[in-house]
């Protein structure tokens, strides 16, 4: 099915991700489950100082944000689905929690320099950003938002087994033959829309080496991986870097 009917729509591939979550947003409000898995929450507690400021990238209906706020953290949640943000704001208001939510695309969002202690990517959100340069630029800006000891809990779709690697390679070859855009590892997930039609949603798959190179280009060092997350720490600089005014999306690093 993937090989016979593959073809990217014109425009931004991430629009397919937005369509998915806008369509499915009403179902997230009543879906049972924990806000953050106990193992991940314990990891966050061990890395982020009590009362620290945490940004949740891809906050969805706000479960992770609420769990972190209940732990005493100052929380900011962003998601590019307005429907998800509405759910998150209602859920936080029902618990009388002071959480700032914003409908925003991580590729253009900005936070004050050195204002965060951590950034938590919800599952696979990094894989919803098409284009290596756009991902590196987003991570570089995140590095500017972090304090020197700040960390990123990164979640990206990893390639599971040789079969997936072969399929992604065949898709990439077909795109090259048909002069379609898309880097190696670009794939899709399938979902059923409200009108009962089969839809596709963009997702970028990664090898460990791909993540190592991208995060390194953005000024991070990869640490251990646990569950669906890998911890990133800012690379120590051997000499100070001059702070310069940057244009949106610029990849210049800044010091606190």
């Amino acid at each position: 099915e993937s090989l016979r009917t593959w073809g990217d729509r014109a425009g931004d591939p991430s629009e397919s991700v937005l369509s998915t979550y806008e369509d499915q947003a009403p179902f997230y409000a009543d879906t049972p489950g924990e806000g953050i898995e106990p193992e991940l929450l314990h990891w966050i507690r061990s890395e982020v100082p009590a009362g620290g400021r945490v940004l949740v990238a891809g906050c969805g209906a706000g479960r992770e944000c609420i769990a972190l706020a209940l732990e005493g953290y100052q929380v900011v949640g962003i998601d590019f689905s307005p429907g998800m943000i509405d759910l998150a704001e209602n859920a936080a208001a029902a618990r009388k929690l002071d959480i700032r939510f914003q409908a925003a695309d991580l590729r253009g969002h900005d936070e004050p320099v050195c204002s965060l202690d951590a950034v938590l990517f919800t599952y696979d959100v990094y894989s919803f950003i098409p284009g290596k340069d756009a991902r590196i630029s987003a991570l570089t800006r995140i590095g500017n938002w972090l304090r020197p000891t700040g960390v990123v809990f990164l979640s990206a779709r990893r390639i599971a087994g040789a079969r997936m690697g072969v399929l992604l390679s065949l898709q990439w070859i077909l795109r090259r033959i048909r002069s379609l855009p898309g880097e190696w590892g670009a794939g899709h997930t399938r979902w059923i829309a409200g009108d009962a039609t089969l839809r596709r949603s963009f997702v970028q798959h990664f090898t460990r080496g791909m993540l190592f190179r991208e995060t390194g280009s953005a000024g991070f060092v990869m640490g251990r991986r646990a569950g669906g997350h890998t911890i990133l720490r800012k690379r120590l600089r051997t000499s100070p870097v001059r702070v310069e005014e940057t244009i949106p999306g610029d990849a210049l690093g800044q010091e606190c």
Side-chain angles (χ1 to χ4, degrees):
E1 185 269 341
S2 295
L3 296 177
R4 284 198 307 269
T5 61
W6 174 265
D8 293 324
R9 293 182 179 180
D12 184 357
S14 66
E15 289 295 324
S16 64
V17 183
L18 176 59
S19 296
T20 301
Y21 286 103
E22 281 289 277
D23 189 88
Q24 296 179 350
F27 301 100
Y28 275 77
D30 299 321
T31 304
E34 298 176 349
I36 299 180
E37 294 84 350
E39 295 80 7
L40 178 57
L41 186 57
H42 177 74
W43 195 9
I44 293 171
R45 288 189 194 118
S46 69
E47 294 285 349
V48 185
R53 190 165 184 263
V54 182
L55 182 141
V56 178
C59 66
R63 290 184 179 179
E64 293 85 357
C65 292
I66 289 171
L68 291 171
L70 291 173
E71 288 288 318
Y73 292 110
Q74 303 172 58
V75 185
V76 177
I78 66 169
D79 198 289
F80 70 170
S81 166
M84 287 293 191
I85 291 296
D86 287 344
L87 290 175
E89 289 178 336
N90 291 338
R95 291 174 175 257
K96 295 181 171 56
L97 293 172
D98 183 16
I99 302 173
R100 178 169 71 84
F101 291 104
Q102 183 175 346
D105 190 323
L106 192 60
R107 293 171 294 182
H109 183 70
D110 211 357
E111 293 284 332
V113 173
C114 298
S115 64
L116 298 175
D117 293 288
V119 172
L120 171 66
F121 280 76
T122 57
Y123 285 103
D124 288 345
V125 162
Y126 188 69
S127 286
F128 299 154
I129 304 174
K132 179 178 69 174
D133 291 343
R135 291 190 297 270
I136 293 173
S137 176
L139 277 180
T140 302
R141 290 199 316 279
I142 286 172
N144 292 336
W145 307 339
L146 290 172
R147 297 185 174 106
T149 57
V151 295
V152 176
F153 294 92
L154 184 73
S155 180
R157 182 74 61 93
R158 295 287 189 100
I159 295 173
R163 181 178 179 276
M164 177 58 71
V166 170
L167 180 59
L168 290 168
S169 295
L170 290 173
Q171 290 177 346
W172 179 76
I173 291 170
L174 284 176
R175 286 198 299 274
R176 294 292 295 268
I177 291 173
R178 299 170 184 173
S179 300
L180 293 170
E183 59 197 310
W184 190 90
H188 65 272
T189 58
R190 292 180 286 264
W191 58 284
I192 303 295
D195 59 3
T197 57
L198 184 67
R199 305 283 183 89
R200 294 186 176 197
S201 176
F202 169 82
V203 62
Q204 176 69 36
H205 298 76
F206 295 92
T207 64
R208 185 185 184 282
M210 291 169 66
L211 283 176
F212 180 84
R213 289 187 291 273
E214 287 192 14
T215 57
S217 295
F220 286 98
V221 176
M222 283 177 56
R224 75 181 180 97
R225 183 187 182 200
H229 287 81
T230 300
I231 195 167
L232 307 181
R233 303 182 192 277
K234 296 174 71 171
R235 184 185 297 118
L236 296 177
R237 300 184 185 275
T238 56
S239 59
V241 175
R242 182 163 54 94
V243 178
E244 298 186 37
E245 183 178 354
T246 60
I247 61 174
D250 194 13
L252 290 174
Q254 299 184 52
E255 289 293 322
C256 296

